[in-house]
Amino acid sequence: KTYTVAVVGALGVVGSAMIEILEEQNFPVKEFIPLDQADQVGKEVVFRGEKIKVKEATKGAFEGIDFAFFSAGGEASLELAPIAVEEGCVVIDNSSAWRMDPNVPLVIPEVNSHDLDWHHGIIANPNCSTIQMLVALKPIHDVYTIKRIVVSTYQAVSGSGKSAMEELQMQTQDLSQGIAPLVEVYPHQIAYNAIPHIDVFQNNGYTKEELKMVQETHKILDSAIKVSPTAVRIPVITGHAESINVETEKPFNIEAVKRLLEKSPGITLWDAPEKNRYPMPLDAAGKDEVFVGRIRRDDTLENGLNLWVVSDNLRKGAALNAIQIGLTLIHKTIGK
Ligand code: 2RA
């Protein structure tokens, strides 16, 4: 069986990655329809070597479409996802608009694919920093029961889109020529800096990015897990890194943990510090896996573990996870 597939936000950073990954994953596409906002209409994208004109994402545009992958911002998803479902689509939405809606499953295929069984047309893709963390921690939670997570993230600027990527490159270039850099996308200069501020600050002193990691962990994995996050933007183009400290209920053997992670879905272990081997954003960019390294016991706790997790925030952190949700639905359907 083949399907009519749309990407909404086809010209964006994640939308473009979705198109690339639909091809790479050999998604069974009968017809591909790129959709975007009105001012993008007429521009072209290439799918399987064919130039296709972008159409406007609006009511009526979803008739006859089977899957609509959204990455066009929260407002577009809030307005158009229900319309797309009415017009017969399954919507897989990368924005944060529907993630905490009780009628919408929030899914990482390696972690909670069973939640796809109760979708009502919209399925939400988790935040990139949540996805890579839970792919790495799910096997540990299943065997040793995680009580508490303390996580610091080191997030690439591509998480903020094209303008942020351009700004980092421009600032770096300007500074190399002794020119005062433009500071527009972030509240401070990002080149040669680290900004502990991703998304909007809430009254409790945490940012929305940090609260997403808490809330999404509770919805996807286990609401009993305590999560203490700090999200930081760093001058890297692509690839989020996370330093994760975990406290488990049950005792563990560190070598057994490494073997467990090594054989778990979606994970690649790069853990040989004696050979300077640990994953870095430059290693993960363009790849599909969640890379794990620096696995070591935290002796300050009874059952404490530290690990370092790196993944391409545009791929597994967004576009790949969304496409994998679509493929899982198809296989489940085929399986039924
Ligand atoms: C970021 N996780 O990195 C957010 C949204 N992609 O900016």
Side-chain angles (χ1 to χ4, degrees), residues 127-129 155-156 158-160 186 198 209 212 233 240 313:
N127 193 31
C128 41
S129 45
Q155 299 185 220
S158 57
S160 309
Y186 298 118
I198 298 181
E209 184 77 359
K212 284 175 186 174
R233 189 73 69 188
H240 286 355
N313 56 294

Side-chain angles (χ1 to χ4, degrees), residues 57-225:
T58 183
K59 189 171 174 53
F62 299 94
E63 296 291 351
I65 291 176
D66 300 302
F67 286 97
F69 293 94
F70 273 65
S71 191
E75 268 177 52
S77 291
L78 274 176
E79 182 205 341
L80 293 173
I83 291 170
V85 170
E86 272 162 36
E87 296 181 6
C89 285
V90 170
V91 170
I92 298 167
D93 178 29
N94 187 52
S95 84
S96 56
W98 297 97
R99 287 180 186 153
M100 301 318 289
D101 185 305
N103 295 316
V104 173
L106 180 63
V107 176
I108 306 167
E110 295 90 336
V111 179
N112 65 321
S113 63
H114 54 276
D115 284 335
L116 290 172
D117 294 344
W118 54 268
H119 84 81
H120 306 289
I122 301 175
I123 298 152
N125 208 39
N127 193 31
C128 41
S129 45
T130 307
I131 292 174
Q132 65 185 74
M133 179 171 80
L134 296 188
V135 168
L137 295 188
K138 157 78 173 168
I140 295 169
H141 186 57
D142 283 355
V143 177
Y144 303 106
T145 309
I146 293 175
K147 289 165 61 175
R148 181 172 183 259
I149 299 167
V150 180
V151 52
S152 295
T153 73
Y154 306 80
Q155 299 185 220
V157 296
S158 57
S160 309
K162 272 183 188 138
S163 57
M165 297 159 76
E166 288 162 357
E167 181 155 302
L168 171 57
Q169 281 152 337
M170 282 310 294
Q171 288 182 358
T172 309
Q173 201 173 315
D174 288 351
L175 287 160
S176 71
Q177 294 159 11
I179 299 167
L182 198 65
V183 175
E184 276 187 329
V185 173
Y186 298 118
H188 307 283
Q189 175 186 313
I190 181 62
Y192 309 110
N193 203 5
I195 303 175
H197 177 184
I198 298 181
D199 209 326
V200 180
F201 275 107
Q202 308 297 293
N203 296 335
N204 64 3
Y206 286 80
T207 60
K208 274 179 77 173
E209 184 77 359
E210 291 158 350
L211 292 184
K212 284 175 186 174
M213 296 184 82
V214 181
Q215 294 164 350
E216 294 176 20
T217 296
H218 290 165
K219 181 167 177 178
I220 295 166
L221 189 56
D222 186 332
S223 56
I225 298 176

